[in-house]
Amino acid sequence: MNSPANITDPLVLFMPSGKRGRFPVGTPVLDAARQLGVYVESVCGGRATCGRCQIEVQEGNFAKHKIVSSNDHISSKGPKEERYERVRGLPERRRLSCSAQILGDLVIDVPQDTVINAQTIRKDADTRVIARDTAIRMCYVEIEEPDMHKPLGDLDRLKIALMKDWGFKNLEFDFYLLPQVQGILRKGNWTATAAIHKDADSDIARVIALWPGLKNEAYGLACDIGSTTIAMHLVSLLSGRVAASSGTSNPQIRFGEDLMSRVSYVMMNPDGREGMTVAVREAISSLVDKVCAEGNVQRNDILDSVFVGNPIMHHLFLGIDPTELGGAPFALAVSGAVRIKASDIGLKLNQGARLYMLPCIAGHVGADAAAVTLSEGPHRQDEMMLIVDVGTNAEIVLGNRARVVAASSPTGPAFEGAEISGGQRAAPGAIERVRIDPDTLEPKYRVIGSELWSDEPGFLESVQATGVTGICGSGIIEVVAEMYLAGIISEDGVVDGSLSARSSRVTANGRTFSYVLKEGEPKITITQTDVRAIQLAKAALYAGTKLLMEKQNTDHVDRIHFAGAFGSFIDPKYAMVLGLIPDCDLDKVSAVGNAAGAGARMALLNRGYRREIEETVSQIEKIETALEPKFQEHFVYAMALPNKVDPFPKLSAAVKLPPRKTVSEDGIAGDATPRRRSREGHAARRGRE
């Protein structure tokens, strides 16, 4: 902000970016957004004519942020905004931020459909070919016309034709079709196509939709509801082709960035569960519109859907209170697969469309982890495979065909840019790759939206449209790992202040030191606090993995798969240098993209996979890290880079690791050996505590 904020000025929080600040009463919302670096588009220069600066005020008590937000805290519509609404129209609850002024504390949502440089949701479908055996079959039949001498009803003759031509024995009809059958058969001149649903291990098949004549289109949805983003694929049930894919930010983020804060919101607000359920269902409905438009498909042609998500997303999507997941014993309301009509949760597809949710593995290892397991198949092979889905709550699966174990680990939002001083979500302008010269300590970086490194000719022109706005998750991992490799931080993660004599990049920051990654505006600095946040996150993940390795009685893993959109952009080398994952041949560490979405597609296109994952989940052993006495010990050792006690011989053979050195908390380098013993003693004491 241009002038110091008064502590009595209204506090404004913008979502989904999470940026906040205090502003004087009367400040236009658009001005506040710009001062905080929140992207709100405006083409008309604040004349209220383009309508691109739309925002929404969220109402309620947001206890986590200590904000009570209300429409009473924003100015009423002025002449310009009223004129725009008369001429062009504004969606319900929308305001123009160039005209609306701040009157009190606010939580402002920047709708993603008004943002051009929106968060980059990188969850496209993979190209694997999936054998089709769908739960929906499209069955064309020719029906005998009515005969006074054979007084069978039209529906009964349709049933006979389906049983005769398609081999169905126990055939039932959705009730809503009964009043429509006669009209459909006559419109089709006694021919029709029935959509028949047969999923569970039952002899009963059900007609869920009916069209006159030949209908040769049928689609399904595969959707991964993440705590941060939602990814959806529209898939042809007849060919297996992905007709369209789209993604969006999960609007629940305004209720809390991590899962536990959302549970807390439900606990503290009587209508909290309903608000989050409505928010996620509305976002999913909007995604259906997007994929239908992209794929040129009608909603009425969508007959089946498969959804996955972590346990809290799973419960909130289904309208279940997630409060019991907020504390031991982390009880799920329902753990098995869910089979319902899509209309039961208000999802407007074909009236007879079905919805299937994969089973959850445990209280904090959900249907998304089950989908990843289905996609990657550790239970189908002999190698010891580690699957890691990095998010605010990392889900970990380890095993082979003999045995599979799973756990979750509370990594927090640091890997997604939160809790980092220059952090942001993955969007154009965010730094995603970093290299540091170990001799000069000078950095170079790449940003999303440009293929050039910052030291290459043409870089500034290539990022002119977006600028360099912050650093996202993959960049955060790389910059901390590069700082370690360059000797800027010690194995204990302390920035070496003595290097300030060598480079102006190392600067004092109170009692600690920081590393300047980018000069200018905005200045992007990696602080000691940032490094600590990454250490805490990676230590939680590694400690969870270590527990699973002990349960499997193994000291190594043969193969590591990074799942999730974020995992797709993690460089395996830097993940291992950081100590995010255990030692492994680097050529056997790979990103598998949105494996949860791939697993959902498998379950959509082949009902046999539904049986497979239901059986597999029933046999997976669930480890609750919070109850394991050795978790804290592993966590303390994992705070070091790559680890205080575990060797990394395969990494050392591929990467030149720096010599061990220790630095005191005030950034002064010292002798490694005695300091090392001292810190190990401190770690042991923390472990006992």
Side-chain angles (χ1 to χ4, degrees):
M1 294 176 62
N2 295 328
S3 58
N6 190 315
I7 196 169
T8 61
D9 287 341
L11 179 61
V12 182
L13 171 69
F14 286 90
M15 285 299 186
S17 70
K19 294 183 177 180
R20 60 166 65 199
R22 292 189 179 275
F23 300 90
V25 169
T27 302
V29 174
L30 181 59
D31 289 355
R34 285 174 171 169
Q35 290 183 48
L36 289 175
V38 175
Y39 188 86
V40 179
E41 186 179 4
S42 177
V43 175
C44 65
R47 296 181 178 85
T49 58
C50 71
R52 292 177 174 258
C53 65
Q54 296 176 26
I55 51 94
E56 289 181 9
V57 174
Q58 301 301 321
E59 292 197 279
N61 181 4
F62 297 83
K64 180 189 176 207
H65 304 292
K66 299 180 180 177
I67 295 177
V68 177
S69 178
S70 167
N71 274 308
D72 295 333
H73 296 173
I74 198 167
S75 62
S76 56
K77 293 175 182 176
K80 290 182 180 179
E81 200 171 4
E82 288 178 342
R83 184 188 67 234
Y84 180 89
E85 190 168 30
R86 282 196 309 271
V87 176
R88 310 255 321 253
L90 270 174
E92 187 178 355
R93 298 188 300 171
R94 294 281 176 91
R95 295 293 304 274
L96 298 182
S97 62
C98 64
S99 297
Q101 298 178 349
I102 298 165
L103 302 181
D105 292 353
L106 288 168
V107 174
I108 299 288
D109 192 76
V110 181
Q112 295 300 292
D113 59 3
T114 67
V115 179
I116 292 177
N117 290 342
Q119 179 183 351
T120 304
I121 309 298
R122 299 184 282 196
K123 289 193 173 183
D124 292 335
D126 61 17
T127 56
R128 76 179 68 192
V129 176
I130 300 169
R132 287 184 301 107
D133 180 18
T134 59
I136 303 291
R137 294 184 68 182
M138 300 291 282
C139 301
Y140 172 80
V141 289
E142 297 178 352
I143 304 101
E144 284 189 15
E145 296 186 34
D147 186 334
M148 291 182 62
H149 301 290
K150 298 178 182 178
L152 273 180
D154 289 351
L155 182 141
D156 298 283
R157 281 181 285 104
L158 170 61
K159 183 183 292 186
I160 288 172
L162 288 167
M163 294 170 70
K164 177 184 175 183
D165 293 354
W166 294 92
F168 293 106
K169 296 180 180 179
N170 298 319
L171 200 59
E172 297 181 354
F173 283 72
D174 272 7
F175 177 75
Y176 86 93
L177 288 172
L178 271 58
Q180 302 178 22
V181 168
Q182 289 191 309
I184 291 171
L185 296 187
R186 283 159 179 78
K187 185 176 180 181
N189 194 25
W190 304 104
T191 65
T193 303
I196 299 179
H197 177 264
K198 190 174 185 298
D199 177 15
D201 296 327
S202 168
D203 292 333
I204 297 175
R206 180 172 288 273
V207 178
I208 65 168
L210 190 67
W211 293 267
L214 176 65
K215 175 73 172 177
N216 60 4
E217 288 183 292
Y219 293 88
L221 299 174
C223 186
D224 172 19
I225 308 173
S227 56
T228 304
T229 60
I230 305 171
M232 178 179 288
H233 307 301
L234 176 66
V235 184
S236 169
L237 297 178
L238 302 181
S239 69
R241 176 182 64 90
V242 177
S245 297
S246 189
T248 187
S249 297
N250 188 330
Q252 292 177 346
I253 200 167
R254 64 174 174 261
F255 301 97
E257 289 198 351
D258 57 66
L259 296 174
M260 285 300 99
S261 63
R262 295 182 203 178
V263 174
S264 297
Y265 186 86
V266 172
M267 292 176 176
M268 293 186 292
N269 293 271
D271 58 351
R273 194 282 307 157
E274 182 181 0
M276 279 192 272
T277 295
V278 168
V280 73
R281 289 182 182 176
E282 286 181 348
I284 286 168
S285 182
S286 295
L287 276 183
V288 174
D289 286 336
K290 288 183 180 180
V291 294
C292 283
E294 181 183 333
N296 194 25
V297 170
Q298 300 296 315
R299 275 183 179 248
N300 194 55
D301 290 338
I302 301 176
L303 301 172
D304 202 6
S305 58
V306 174
F307 286 81
V308 300
N310 62 59
I312 291 171
M313 295 302 97
H314 171 283
H315 278 34
L316 288 171
F317 174 61
L318 293 175
I320 299 170
D321 189 331
T323 300
E324 293 297 330
L325 294 170
F330 311 108
L332 290 155
V334 54
S335 58
V338 174
R339 297 175 179 83
I340 57 175
K341 293 182 69 172
S343 60
D344 289 343
I345 61 166
L347 188 57
K348 294 180 180 178
L349 309 175
N350 185 286
Q351 192 171 347
R354 265 36 186 188
L355 187 151
Y356 175 84
M357 286 199 83
L358 272 67
C360 290
I361 297 175
H364 285 296
V365 188
D368 54 348
V372 171
T373 302
L374 176 62
S375 170
E376 301 312 301
H379 56 289
R380 303 187 199 109
Q381 42 85 51
D382 296 319
E383 285 187 313
M384 185 61 68
M385 178 188 289
L386 173 67
I387 306 171
V388 180
D389 193 341
V390 183
T392 54
N393 194 66
E395 293 171 317
I396 317 164
V397 177
L398 177 68
N400 53 25
R401 70 175 73 253
R403 184 187 183 202
V404 180
V405 293
S408 67
S409 209
T411 52
F415 289 135
E416 296 180 335
E419 299 180 355
I420 303 298
S421 56
Q424 68 166 84
R425 302 193 189 285
I431 294 172
E432 63 172 346
R433 294 281 178 259
V434 178
R435 300 292 182 268
I436 298 175
D437 188 302
D439 297 320
T440 65
L441 305 187
E442 282 298 301
K444 63 178 181 178
Y445 49 82
R446 274 175 46 185
V447 302
I448 297 174
S450 173
E451 294 300 315
L452 298 176
W453 287 90
S454 58
D455 62 345
E456 291 182 308
F459 171 77
L460 292 178
E461 291 78 8
S462 73
V463 299
Q464 189 171 7
T466 61
V468 181
T469 54
I471 184 166
C472 66
S474 59
I476 292 165
I477 286 176
E478 291 197 7
V479 72
V480 175
E482 279 280 316
M483 288 169 69
Y484 171 62
L485 292 175
I488 297 170
I489 58 176
S490 68
E491 67 174 58
D492 295 313
V494 181
V495 180
D496 186 352
S498 68
L499 295 177
S500 61
R502 276 178 55 192
S503 171
S504 60
R505 295 280 177 179
V506 180
T507 61
N509 183 7
R511 296 180 59 187
T512 61
F513 288 82
S514 300
Y515 178 76
V516 179
L517 178 60
K518 175 191 171 294
E519 297 280 10
E521 286 295 329
K523 186 176 183 179
I524 300 173
T525 302
I526 308 302
T527 68
Q528 183 65 70
T529 302
D530 295 338
V531 176
R532 283 283 179 261
I534 294 300
Q535 285 180 276
L536 290 167
K538 74 99 176 179
L541 178 53
Y542 189 92
T545 301
K546 189 73 174 178
L547 283 175
L548 295 189
M549 291 173 68
E550 288 182 345
K551 296 295 180 182
Q552 288 280 27
N553 195 29
T554 184
D555 60 359
H556 74 284
V557 295
D558 298 311
R559 189 174 295 277
I560 300 175
H561 286 184
F562 275 116
F566 176 42
S568 299
F569 295 89
I570 296 176
D571 187 311
K573 179 181 79 172
Y574 290 108
M576 204 173 293
V577 168
L578 197 66
L580 191 69
I581 51 176
D583 193 47
C584 183
D585 287 333
L586 284 172
D587 61 359
K588 291 191 174 182
V589 183
S590 60
V592 293
N594 183 19
R601 282 203 303 126
M602 291 170 68
L604 176 69
L605 289 172
N606 193 315
R607 56 188 174 170
Y609 285 129
R610 301 184 186 188
R611 306 291 85 74
E612 177 184 330
I613 194 57
E614 289 168 18
E615 181 180 351
T616 300
V617 166
S618 70
Q619 296 173 355
I620 292 177
E621 297 176 47
K622 299 85 177 176
I623 309 302
E624 182 50 63
T625 56
L627 303 179
E628 292 290 330
K630 291 195 71 174
F631 180 84
Q632 182 66 19
E633 178 184 338
H634 293 316
F635 179 87
V636 171
Y637 290 141
M639 283 290 288
L641 285 82
N643 193 280
K644 185 66 76 175
V645 295
D646 287 352
F648 279 72
K650 293 176 181 176
L651 174 65
S652 299
V655 178
K656 184 180 179 181
L657 297 177
R660 290 186 180 272
K661 73 171 178 178
T662 57
V663 181
S664 63
E665 295 295 336
D666 58 5
I668 306 302
D671 180 67
T673 307
R675 180 65 179 165
R676 176 173 167 78
R677 284 197 298 266
S678 171
R679 293 188 68 85
E680 285 177 346
H682 178 59
R685 288 193 297 274
R686 285 182 60 191
R688 288 194 297 271
E689 292 168 4

